[in-house]
Amino acid sequence: MAALWMLAAGFMFACMGVLVKLAAVYFSNTELVFYRSLVGVVATFMMMRIYSIPLATAYWKIHCWRGLSGLGGVLLFFYCILQLPLATAISLNNTWPLFLVFLAVMLLKENCNWRLALAVLLGFLGVILLLRPTLNEGQWDMALIGLGSGLFAGVAHFNVKQLSALGESDWRIVFYFALMCTVTTGAWLAFTTFSPVNTEGLMLALGVGVTATLAQLALSRAHRGSNTVVVGTLAYSSVLFAGLLDLFFWNAWLPVSAWLGMGLIVLGGLVSIRVMPAAVRKPG
């Protein structure tokens, strides 16, 4: 069942990316994150009331770390989606397993062996192959931003796995993440500006929020009591879905070298997950 939840999450994330690209005509990057999060807050709060799930949590510190890292990752990820081909942006974001292993070595003082080094090398080569044929000379800063989204996502995945292992409700995990994103981006926009909203823009913004919320819920459910290798493997389904949606909506054909680069990123991520320290795979 975890495999199906992860496939659903991958598809929802890819659909969210399409809607973000379409909604960029009407809203700024920060506004899109705000509306995405606002929908998540309302939807999860209503469901928690229906199922009588209390808001109180004993793990607010981990929720805060998850919220901050997740917000940073989403802001950078949305920005990349607006500037790069969807499959490229999602591939860069999916470097998170490589960063997760790196954090484990640095923070948990785990030994770095040749398999971890191989994973990082494969991922690095994949990034080079992916970016060279798909980025113009002036877009390499986007590559760094995309890799930054992967770094933040790695921290966020670590926190989600922690919370799930501690028995925290999927609904609470998503609710507090969405709440922190809504409050932070809403406060920023209150001191800057909101774009005018029309019917088409509103429907797209709602679509971003709905698909993102469903993806987060499916991701949290997939992490619960599952094999991390299986979850990590199927997380890369979003890259395939994004490539197909790129082709369908924008007729964006990526060169063979770009797909080879994606494949190396996926392979590097899978190797890193398979050799990931037990303290990361089974926290708490």
Side-chain angles (χ1 to χ4, degrees):
M1 184 59 70
L4 294 178
W5 282 116
M6 200 63 240
L7 283 174
F11 180 69
M12 286 293 105
F13 276 127
C15 289
M16 179 198 71
V18 171
L19 293 171
V20 167
K21 275 185 172 291
L22 297 175
V25 177
Y26 305 97
F27 304 109
S28 68
N29 182 50
T30 305
E31 286 175 310
L32 288 174
V33 176
F34 171 77
Y35 290 123
R36 168 201 190 276
S37 306
L38 182 61
V39 172
V41 168
V42 174
T44 52
F45 179 78
M46 291 176 60
M47 295 306 297
M48 289 172 73
R49 294 299 89 193
I50 292 174
Y51 290 108
S52 300
I53 300 173
L55 290 174
T57 177
Y59 312 114
W60 60 271
K61 289 184 178 180
I62 303 178
H63 279 291
C64 285
W65 280 113
R66 190 267 186 273
L68 289 174
S69 59
L71 174 59
V74 170
L75 284 170
L76 296 179
F77 181 41
F78 275 26
Y79 189 69
C80 281
I81 287 177
L82 302 182
Q83 304 296 326
L84 300 175
L86 182 59
T88 301
I90 289 182
S91 295
L92 291 173
N93 182 256
N94 272 315
T95 55
W96 66 263
L98 305 176
F99 289 111
L100 184 55
V101 171
F102 176 77
L103 290 172
V105 172
M106 296 298 295
L107 299 179
L108 300 179
K109 308 302 181 183
E110 296 287 346
N111 294 326
C112 181
N113 55 50
W114 68 268
R115 290 178 297 176
L116 290 180
L118 175 62
V120 174
L121 178 61
L122 288 173
F124 176 76
L125 291 176
V127 169
I128 296 299
L129 280 174
L130 171 65
L131 297 182
R132 286 186 63 85
T134 58
L135 293 186
N136 297 322
E137 185 176 347
Q139 289 183 308
W140 283 91
D141 54 338
M142 291 298 103
L144 295 177
I145 292 175
L147 291 173
S149 75
L151 171 59
F152 280 113
V155 178
H157 274 270
F158 178 68
N159 296 143
V160 169
K161 188 65 178 175
Q162 282 183 309
L163 290 167
S164 296
L166 290 168
E168 188 72 316
S169 165
D170 298 331
W171 293 103
R172 260 200 305 270
I173 293 174
V174 177
F175 172 78
Y176 281 114
F177 167 57
L179 180 63
M180 181 168 289
C181 291
T182 302
V183 172
T184 305
T185 54
W188 172 261
L189 291 169
F191 289 98
T192 54
T193 182
F194 279 92
S195 301
V197 179
N198 58 28
T199 302
E200 185 174 353
L202 178 62
M203 295 304 295
L204 288 171
L206 289 175
V208 170
V210 170
T211 52
T213 301
L214 291 175
Q216 287 293 328
L217 288 171
L219 176 64
S220 296
R221 183 61 60 88
H223 274 293
R224 187 174 300 279
S226 64
N227 185 316
T228 305
V229 176
V230 173
V231 171
T233 301
L234 295 177
Y236 288 104
S237 63
S238 59
V239 177
L240 175 60
F241 289 133
L244 295 175
L245 292 174
D246 256 337
L247 184 61
F248 180 79
F249 283 97
W250 295 283
N251 197 30
W253 289 88
L254 293 177
V256 174
S257 56
W259 284 102
L260 179 59
M262 292 181 192
L264 287 176
I265 292 175
V266 171
L267 182 59
L270 296 183
V271 172
S272 67
I273 292 171
R274 186 169 294 276
V275 300
M276 193 177 296
V280 179
R281 285 189 280 139
K282 297 180 180 180

